[in-house]
């Protein structure tokens, strides 16, 4: 069974102390998937993914990038850090928009939450830009794809 | 085919003008699902969902509520509004944690993005609280469950 | 013994639902007190409360006012609200700087947390402006002085 | 008499230039004290410090930690810095809840304001969680307990 | 000579009390002008105003809209308010990009600062998107164009 | 003709990757100019630049400094960075208030946007403090004056 290193008996919430960890280059990539109903996907394609509120994917990339920078302001025990790279790509896969967000930093802690937050807020923005067409849009399968530079690599 | 009312030919992004809409009571409920690998779910259950970073669900509810209040700061064309209610519930369904977020306001525009943002940030926080156990945690199926008080109801 | 109306058995944190409450004019005044060591108070008086970082009280009033506006961003279950008045006054009482902050709004919930937050951040700013002189400065007795317009008045 | 190194004659407010200072490990601990009226303390004890709004101390620790990260956004001339550790503890001492906040960073400037802000916002959150019971709760004696790593140590 | 209604003798900074003012529909339009050196304007035109960082005007409109919503967080004595409309348009006039921002709200105070802040941050974003080409770009003539719904109209 | 190094064919917006750049000391100075109508300038001079809302220039310096710290939160593709110095000076030049903002940091990217944002928000604050006198106040000629420490120097 998976176990945590230690559990404080009083369940006191706390930020992990990273002050004595080494600064290394950390990179993480997260992915999410916005599932459009078929007729919504068709409508969006026929309009080159522009809606009355503007270009869907460009707006989502900007919102996702700004959210990635603010991750520590949203997730209580994420350390504040100055991300050095945030790349977002959105591509259609059938009727799904697949969002990928890669974040890098030289720091004492990883950036998987930054990548996940960037991807999630981009997906929420896609929803917002398209919800006048349908409320049956789903945000599916947000997950970490890759992680480099910490104690253990992923992906 | 679904169609938008109008598309500005220049794809100029823009916030919808709600200034002449009626103030009504708007409510929306969103749901998301955090999928734990079986051994992670078991470890969490055996520790009553406490981790070295603190109680998972209470921390997630607080982060989600704070994010719901800040939705307009994250999603570019969401109107700022003062939510009057934000209720979050998290329950286990098999190895999944199901997050529900209900938001209400009396205003000229709906609160579905607030409910979706609250649920999403709660899910991201659950991920952050548990990621020391595994990076194979997934955030699955974020969607709108119900919406009342606008032009059209959902759910 | 004082009692709460109800306690949710699972200790689930939650924002109070104010959506069906009446909008009334709410006012609250909070007070705090920054206690300077005698020689610090003397140094500040001799410089008309200017330090190398600038005018102490004016800077504190600006910081406190900005913080009062952002109370709901700091205190997890405070409702977001658009304060209509925020008056701050700082006066010396012996070697203490007494900060008073009065906030008003027409809304469904009171503004005592806004007044307390405004006063507290003003006091923290006074500390920051003067800490080059001494770290023995104390922030003492932050409390609600008056509250009008809700279910029960205070003061 | 205590004196400042220099006073700009025009009282122009300004952030201290730390660009040429050395990066060292800085730590600071601040403490505050929330004074409950006796019957409020008793009610809280009988409910294991849970209220209808949720668990008092865990909510306060989360809010305080998030505020410590945002100190430079609240206090005008505090430098932005990425704190590496933020530990909060809350314990009862008679009818008082004593909040301690310790912050660490490797940086060119100290973290006493971060520790004081974290403790203060935790105290304000305790007030907010309990104010349905009484408005006679006081926040008393917020002060710096210890400071290490700068020009001069405290405590 | 123009005069203020009253000056507090102690120069105490303060937010204006609008709590007893009437709610009316307020609208304001601000304009700014980004002046490109001729060869920069030519380069931008030849690339349809896209740069390696993305589409210049769409990015600026999104940033300006988000900043307009946050005006009260930037300007110390601006009242927080929930804007109901924010329209931004950017057009070339010779080698200048002319940014117009119109904001509306039903509230007790005007929205000229929101319009000016939206236009200014859009202009700063244009600068940021294009500065790899030249640092001789100027932001010129930011001003209020029109204001309706308050004590006195402008424009 | 000025050219960009490369244009992504799909106009995908993106933050520049600075993760492999060298940390050097970066400094930038920006300037803006608030143009008062003659009678407004005269009124302000006769009141030593105090208005009913408080001291104009000190309030502007505080707001500008706080905004400089938050530049990356306003401009979508600015990297978050912890500025180490932010000096603001405001002086009258005829009927114009000239705002200068100098920012320094040791980092992988420059601080010209921080200096420009600090100066712009200071100018907006001056406008807000004085707009009760006239809405004919202009913000004119915001520009970069000097830049040191990057690939190429300016000024």
């Amino acid at each position: 069974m998976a176990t945590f290193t230690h559990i404080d008996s009083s369940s006191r919430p706390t930020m992990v102390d990273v002050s004595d960890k080494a600064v290394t280059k950390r990179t993480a990539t997260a992915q999410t998937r916005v599932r459009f109903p078929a007729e919504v996907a068709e409508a969006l394609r026929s309009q080159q993914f522009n809606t009355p509120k503007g270009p869907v994917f460009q707006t989502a990339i900007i919102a996702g990038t700004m959210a990635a920078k603010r991750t520590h302001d949203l997730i209580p025990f994420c350390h504040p850090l100055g991300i050095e790279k945030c790349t977002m790509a959105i591509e259609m896969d059938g009727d799904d928009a697949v969002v990928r967000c890669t974040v890098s930093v030289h720091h004492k802690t990883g950036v998987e939450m930054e990548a996940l937050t960037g991807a999630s807020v981009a997906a929420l923005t896609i929803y917002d830009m398209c919800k006048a067409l349908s409320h049956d849009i789903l945000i599916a399968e947000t997950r970490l794809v890759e992680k480099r530079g910490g104690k253990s690599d992923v992906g």
Side-chain angles (χ1 to χ4, degrees), chain A:
Chain A
M1 196 179 87
T3 50
F4 291 107
T5 315
H6 68 96
I7 293 278
D8 184 312
S9 61
S10 64
S11 304
R12 199 167 70 191
T14 192
M15 180 188 273
V16 172
D17 179 2
V18 300
S19 59
D20 295 323
K21 290 197 176 174
V23 171
T24 61
K25 180 166 180 180
R26 317 283 184 133
T27 299
T29 299
Q31 180 180 299
T32 189
R33 191 173 271 273
V34 181
R35 192 151 294 163
F36 297 112
E39 70 161 21
V40 173
E42 192 186 332
L44 288 169
R45 259 184 239 109
S46 75
Q47 295 151 355
Q48 289 83 50
F49 297 93
N50 289 308
T51 75
K53 293 173 92 166
V56 176
F57 294 162
Q58 291 170 353
T59 305
I61 287 174
I62 291 170
T65 303
M66 293 180 88
K69 292 192 269 183
R70 244 187 265 174
T71 300
H72 58 272
D73 222 29
L74 293 170
I75 312 296
F77 299 121
C78 276
H79 297 83
L81 42 80
I83 61 175
E84 295 165 355
K85 170 187 168 171
C86 181
T87 309
M88 299 198 71
I90 306 181
E91 284 179 9
M92 291 302 290
D93 173 24
D95 288 347
D96 291 2
V98 179
V99 181
R100 279 205 162 212
C101 176
T102 299
V103 175
S104 296
V105 76
H106 286 77
H107 204 78
K108 299 176 175 186
T109 186
V111 283
E112 55 265 53
M113 292 315 301
E114 281 70 16
L116 286 161
T117 301
S120 293
V121 172
L124 289 167
T125 302
I126 292 175
Y127 188 103
D128 183 54
M129 299 297 282
C130 301
K131 71 180 195 287
L133 274 184
S134 166
H135 276 100
D136 291 332
I137 300 167
L138 278 191
I139 302 174
E141 289 184 17
T142 307
R143 61 187 180 81
L144 189 68
V145 174
E146 196 180 277
K147 175 175 176 301
R148 291 281 175 273
K151 227 166 26 192
S152 61
D153 287 344
V154 172

